Amino acid sequence: MADNQNTILQVENLHTHFFTESGVIRALRGVDFSVERGKVLGIVGESGCGKSVTAQCIMNMLPGNGRAVEGKISYYPRESIGSQTEKVDITGLPPRGKAMRAIRGNEIAMIFQEPMTSLDPVYTVGSQLMEAITLHQNVTKQQGKEIAVDALAKVNLPEPARIFDAYPHQLSGGQRQRVMIAIALSCNPTLLIADEPTTALDVTTQAQILDLMRALQEETHMSIIFITHDLGVVAEMCDDVAVMYLGKVVEQTTVDAAFHSPQHPYTRALLRSIPRLTDENQTRLDVIKGRVPDPSVVPPGCAFHPRCPEVIPGLCDVHTPEVIKLGGGQEVRCLLYDDKLMAQSPTRTALAESR
Amino acid sequence: MAQKENKTNPNGSVDSRTTLLEVTDLKMHFPIRKGFLRRVVGHVKAVDGVSFSIQKGDTFGLVGESGCGKTTTGRCVMRLLDPTDGQIVYYDREEGPIHIESLEPTEMRVFRRDMQIMFQDPYASLNPRLTLRQIVGEPLIINKVASGKELDDRVAELLRSVGLSPEYMNRYPHAFSGGQRQRIGLARALALNPEFIVADEPVSALDVSVQAQVLNLIKDLQEEFGLTYLFIAHNMSVIKHSCDHVAVMYVGRIVEVAETKELFRNPLHPYTEALLSAIPNPDPRQRKSRIILEGDVPNPARPPSGCYFHPRCAYAKEICSQESPPLQEYAPGHSAACHFAKELSLTGVL
């Protein structure tokens, strides 16, 4: 997969630990996924599964007590298309080094969840935009301002020249998120990481922002990693989906397969647990029993086994599932698809029949 | 005992159920003060003339975007806020109609046994210094319902009814996850056997898999204890799943009320249509173009003239910026506040 010309980012076996006073927290326990050039990859999962930590690793901006202890993130820069690829190993770069700074905010940009807190309240929108532009592009102040006002106009903000001089508190939540997108896109990134960009917004504002992001993606052909917990948003926005559970990707596949033929029991259970408009009123929802465990005490074997409706005792709590490639590019981490182990299991035939 | 026949249910037949709560022209205006003398320079009309009634045993949904006044309405009904104007009548099982808005604080305290509230933020609504026994038992102690061994038994029973183990009784809230905390909040609300519960965004802070558990629990408890809910939420899918009737709010006013299915199938107000269209559909095969509203929700301190929705409305005509449309019934049990509710044919989602 790494040799694929179309891959822009490849994450392999990424382990990230946080070293805290009360012990080591294994936030990522071997994350694998890849992002195709010009495609939108959705990363879904519940809180605490490591979605945001993955984004921080890609941007190489983990908090002080966090470290990527194993695995690598390969980024294939835009110049590499056509010519023999010169990939960059992001995990190997010092976070504050020149090489990383040339990538961060320039080639890989990020928008954050909280439009209220991710803009600095004491600087105008314009100066925050100019900061990104003058840092990465060799332009005069005047040219920089033109680029900035253009960027604000591009995200459909009314009166961009006025917004340029406004402070964040003078804008609404939706407008702030547009400013965040303008900052992120001001340097024409090849990869955009959007970490829950619409979670804090109202439904109609969310529809505006999603619409804008889709239009900008079609225009610039950038790749997007779209992190969210809202399966509806994934279905709307993404081409591919990676489902995370407790620091691992348990299933990566196309958006159609994820919603219409999900293979991992967690993906299936998640899809069953959301209320749908087409449901008969007030039917009971299917639930996933229990809750996401604390990442400091990860269950042995498959981490999902205590909550899994298809658990095989004696197998799932012992063996850690590897990535299994199914047809159509679907990849899943589940012992149910491990033919070798299943052959040894006494309950296999019964299960195979029920499946 | 003053009881009101419900007019008709959506099938046209007379409903034998009775009204439990009736809110008429409720207003909550917060003063804006400025300057050294803290003079009142204006009002934020958070709730501006809201009327609805809730039938016994129903789940009545209030939906809208942030700042539309849904939480303020819930708090006025509970008298956690003193409304500026309007009537809130509760039809008590023994004492008949009670005007909540004019009750004295001491009377209100007695009355709160029948009405309880569960809050949105499970991390802020439980006192971190109290154990579960104290949190869930507090209403019982204050109202002198139980004490000693009896209190422990009742707390244990309540915890069991919301799916928590009574062994947790001596633990503090920090030991529990968001979903478990919402269960504790529910147990506390149930302590005095209320008839009516205001559930203010009960699942919006929860993860998807836990959200389903709490929604099921809310439903089960309704059946078990015969509860009536005022269910406040911003998520249309959750509203669709949980409510019998829905009122859509926009800038302090109700723009449409109907039976849930009817509202989702035949919206009469353009704002409802846009809200429904904005719901992300969890099926990639059904991507469609959405109605994208221009601009933002107006500031309730300076709302636009006429119909508050007209600056964002695709169907707006001249009259919309001049006259505020009243909430009118267009079909049995289905009301909307739009000048053109009859003429427009809007698209639903079912």
Side-chain angles (χ1 to χ4, degrees), chain B residues 22-61:
Chain B
E22 191 162 26
V23 174
T24 318
D25 207 22
L26 181 72
K27 289 183 181 156
M28 182 71 231
H29 295 178
F30 295 99
I32 308 168
R33 292 174 193 278
K34 260 202 177 136
F36 176 66
L37 295 170
R38 313 302 298 151
R39 255 196 279 265
V40 176
V41 294
H43 284 94
V44 175
K45 297 178 177 174
V47 177
D48 195 23
V50 160
S51 306
F52 58 88
S53 65
I54 303 178
Q55 309 304 310
K56 206 168 179 353
D58 252 16
T59 303
F60 187 89

Side-chain angles (χ1 to χ4, degrees), chain A residues 126-194:
Chain A
S127 70
Q128 299 187 52
L129 247 168
M130 294 283 284
E131 186 186 351
I133 294 167
T134 47
L135 185 69
H136 294 296
Q137 300 179 28
N138 193 11
V139 290
T140 65
K141 230 176 166 185
Q142 192 51 43
Q143 288 169 321
K145 184 168 177 183
E146 277 165 26
I147 297 174
V149 174
D150 262 6
L152 290 174
K154 224 170 158 185
V155 294
N156 298 336
L157 279 166
E159 303 174 67
R162 185 181 63 82
I163 302 246
F164 184 87
D165 290 319
Y167 285 90
H169 76 266
Q170 296 169 310
L171 307 178
S172 70
Q175 288 176 324
R176 277 181 247 202
Q177 200 57 287
R178 283 173 196 267
V179 168
M180 283 302 296
I181 296 174
I183 294 176
L185 299 188
S186 60
C187 296
N188 302 314
T190 48
L191 176 63
L192 176 71
I193 302 174

Side-chain angles (χ1 to χ4, degrees), chain A residues 46-47 202 204 208 236 284, chain B residues 65 207 209 220 290 293:
Chain A
E46 298 179 271
S47 37
D202 275 318
T204 57
Q208 290 173 354
E236 290 281 312
R284 287 184 63 84
Chain B
E65 299 182 272
D207 266 320
S209 68
D220 292 347
R290 312 199 162 269
L293 289 180

